[in-house]
Amino acid sequence: MTHREVFLQNVAQTSDFPLALEIEKAEGIYLYGKNGVKYMDLISGIGVSNVGHRHPNVVNAIKTQVDKYMHLMVYGEYVQQPQVLLAQALAKTLANYRTATGYVLDNVYFTNSGTEAVEGAMKLAKRFTGRTEIVSCNRSYHGSTQGALSLGEEHFRRNFRPLLPAITKIERNQLIDLEKITTQTAAVIFEPVGGESGVRPADEVYLKELRKRCNEVGTLLIFDEVQSGFGRTGSFWAFEQYDVVPDILLCAKGMGGGMPIGAFIAPQQIMAVFKDNPILGHITTFGGHPVSCAASLATLNTIHDDNLLAEVEKKASLFRELLVHPAIKEIRHKGLMMAVEFEDFDTLKAIIDKAISKGVITDWFLYCDNSMRIAPPLIITEEEIRQACEIILDSIV
Ligand code: PMP
């Protein structure tokens, strides 16, 4: 049987995807295919390998933890040090910020994925506020389970109705739409940097007005930093570049340094509604897996110890400086979360295919198929950026 026959995630029959490159090894910013073919990974497995593939600190942390224990029991049942240490480290990254109600984001619930973090956060907001409605933005992506899917685009939702009722969609950056957030709204879920819409950094004035509106009507503001968190945008959290603090913060992807893990993080005062009776809150067997937590802690420490945030903006500027060509319409970015816009999908696809044949892997976005996704591991060097940009420019036909 071929890979297309046995493995559904690989099965799309269109010529557009998947790449179906057979990778034998990954290291740093490189993927190694069959017969020693070497690719530069400019997308980090979709914003995951922020510290590079198989970072030695992450690999060592995994090995050390595997030698102690792996899964012991459903999350929360026993005290597992990797979870405690990671929760403490995450809280430390947030200790200087206060929510609009003066709380600190100091309580973590670990999940398996970004989507599960979204689901948990929606449940938490409903329990805390006693309200039923959730507001999300047009062209936002929050995941693919039926709750998260309810928040997303119609194209992805339409085959799966009935989905969650009481979801209101608003247009990003449109102040008039803030009126749709009312005293019935449990939470607004918002990506500070829109990911799958093709890298859309929030407008700071809008974000402040959004925060203000939520305060006025007693609605919780959830920031989905699944894609923008863990250093991707040049600060540990993207929201740090705005003067706006969420009530609930979501992360996943880059968090695990290549291992599966996510989290929703909220102040003790909000999370308390789940603590009274945890089994009526959220339950997960593998969420906060100790090996993933160990990998995540090593990732977080590496970002800080290796000062990876310091160079992000400089590296992003170098991409901007080098990627100049009449075919390039626009570059949008926050740190190393970048979108390079071309005329249309066909133009972009031809460039992506050619660049891959020359050893550079890029991609497009779920909701934006005329823009090239560039989100390399933060460890990429200036020399590698130069090589990558040369290949991309050479691939423009
Ligand atoms: N939120 C955002 C902003 C995302 O980009 C994604 C994944 N692309 C998700 C949630 C879902 O995360 P996961 O695939 O880990 O479930």
Side-chain angles (χ1 to χ4, degrees):
M1 279 173 123
T2 68
H3 65 88
R4 286 194 191 279
E5 286 163 327
V6 294
F7 179 44
L8 198 82
Q9 277 148 310
N10 220 245
V11 85
Q13 296 293 335
T14 70
S15 58
D16 298 346
F17 74 100
L19 284 174
L21 298 175
E22 206 167 322
I23 303 300
E24 299 196 321
K25 192 176 167 173
E27 188 155 29
I29 72 156
Y30 296 102
L31 305 179
Y32 297 87
K34 278 196 158 166
N35 307 321
V37 191
K38 183 175 168 183
Y39 300 96
M40 207 184 260
D41 178 6
L42 284 199
I43 52 176
S44 306
I46 312 292
V48 169
S49 315
N50 292 1
V51 295
H53 292 275
R54 289 176 55 250
H55 191 288
N57 298 351
V58 177
V59 172
N60 285 337
I62 291 169
K63 286 183 176 164
T64 306
Q65 184 54 40
V66 166
D67 281 345
K68 293 181 186 164
Y69 57 84
M70 295 190 281
H71 179 78
L72 292 183
M73 183 47 176
V74 172
Y75 172 62
E77 204 73 31
Y78 305 149
V79 177
Q80 301 183 40
Q81 275 306 310
Q83 295 168 341
V84 178
L85 295 176
L86 177 59
Q88 286 169 343
L90 286 168
K92 205 168 152 199
T93 67
L94 295 162
N96 292 333
Y97 299 99
R98 297 284 175 279
T99 67
T101 35
Y103 300 152
V104 187
L105 291 149
D106 54 3
N107 212 242
V108 181
Y109 192 105
F110 292 117
T111 62
N112 289 287
S113 65
T115 306
E116 194 191 356
V118 168
E119 298 287 348
M122 281 199 283
K123 289 167 69 183
L124 178 62
K126 285 182 171 178
R127 274 288 299 277
F128 182 74
T129 60
R131 302 176 184 179
T132 51
E133 293 182 9
I134 307 278
V135 167
S136 71
C137 288
N138 287 328
R139 282 158 59 83
S140 64
Y141 180 78
H142 299 289
S144 188
T145 53
Q146 294 189 69
L149 205 58
S150 309
L151 305 167
E153 281 297 87
E154 184 55 21
H155 177 63
F156 291 86
R157 295 190 298 189
R158 64 169 172 241
N159 294 323
F160 303 105
R161 296 198 190 286
L163 292 168
L164 280 188
I167 305 291
T168 302
K169 302 300 289 284
I170 59 172
E171 200 57 54
R172 251 175 112 81
N173 292 334
Q174 275 190 26
L175 293 171
I176 184 87
D177 266 16
L178 295 180
E179 287 169 17
K180 294 183 182 166
I181 303 165
T182 70
T183 50
Q184 309 293 307
T185 316
V188 176
I189 180 161
F190 189 85
E191 295 169 84
V193 184
E196 294 310 316
S197 50
V199 183
R200 313 282 168 174
D203 173 62
E204 185 156 358
V205 173
Y206 173 79
L207 211 52
K208 288 196 165 127
E209 288 300 317
L210 172 63
R211 176 72 270 185
K212 207 168 121 201
R213 178 69 183 171
C214 288
N215 298 346
E216 281 165 10
V217 293
T219 293
L220 297 181
L221 181 56
I222 303 171
F223 279 173
D224 180 343
E225 293 232 28
V226 166
Q227 200 160 148
S228 61
F230 266 72
R232 173 55 48 202
T233 68
S235 45
F236 195 81
W237 305 106
F239 85 78
E240 295 177 272
Q241 295 179 52
Y242 297 92
D243 193 14
V244 178
V245 179
D247 301 299
I248 306 177
L249 178 65
L250 315 182
C251 56
K253 283 193 181 279
M255 179 183 184
M259 292 292 281
I261 185 166
F264 54 99
I265 308 175
Q268 307 276 350
Q269 292 87 339
I270 294 177
M271 210 73 105
V273 294
F274 272 8
K275 284 190 174 165
D276 296 346
N277 188 347
I279 57 169
L280 295 180
H282 186 70
I283 307 176
T284 179
T285 295
F286 287 127
H289 191 284
V291 179
S292 294
C293 284
S296 178
L297 182 63
T299 303
L300 188 155
N301 287 339
T302 300
I303 291 172
H304 286 133
D305 297 348
D306 292 359
N307 224 358
L308 292 185
L309 302 180
E311 302 253 290
V312 168
E313 204 43 57
K314 201 166 131 204
K315 289 174 183 175
S317 299
L318 186 58
F319 270 108
R320 287 191 72 107
E321 196 182 296
L322 296 172
L323 289 178
V324 176
H325 189 282
I328 295 175
K329 305 284 169 214
E330 182 183 49
I331 298 184
R332 297 177 297 274
H333 80 108
K334 198 74 165 169
L336 283 170
M337 187 169 168
M338 311 187 86
V340 181
E341 188 176 306
F342 291 88
E343 183 68 34
D344 52 29
F345 177 67
D346 290 341
T347 311
L348 173 64
K349 182 68 170 46
I351 298 166
I352 289 175
D353 287 349
K354 200 154 173 202
I356 290 173
S357 74
K358 293 165 181 275
V360 167
I361 296 179
T362 63
D363 191 9
W364 61 95
F365 300 86
L366 262 186
Y367 303 154
C368 181
D369 67 5
N370 69 351
S371 297
M372 178 183 278
R373 185 197 302 268
I374 298 189
L378 309 181
I379 57 167
I380 192 168
T381 65
E382 286 191 17
E383 186 48 39
E384 287 163 338
I385 293 172
R386 287 181 196 283
Q387 284 169 19
C389 290
E390 199 178 312
I391 289 177
I392 292 169
L393 292 175
D394 276 353
S395 303
I396 298 177
V397 277

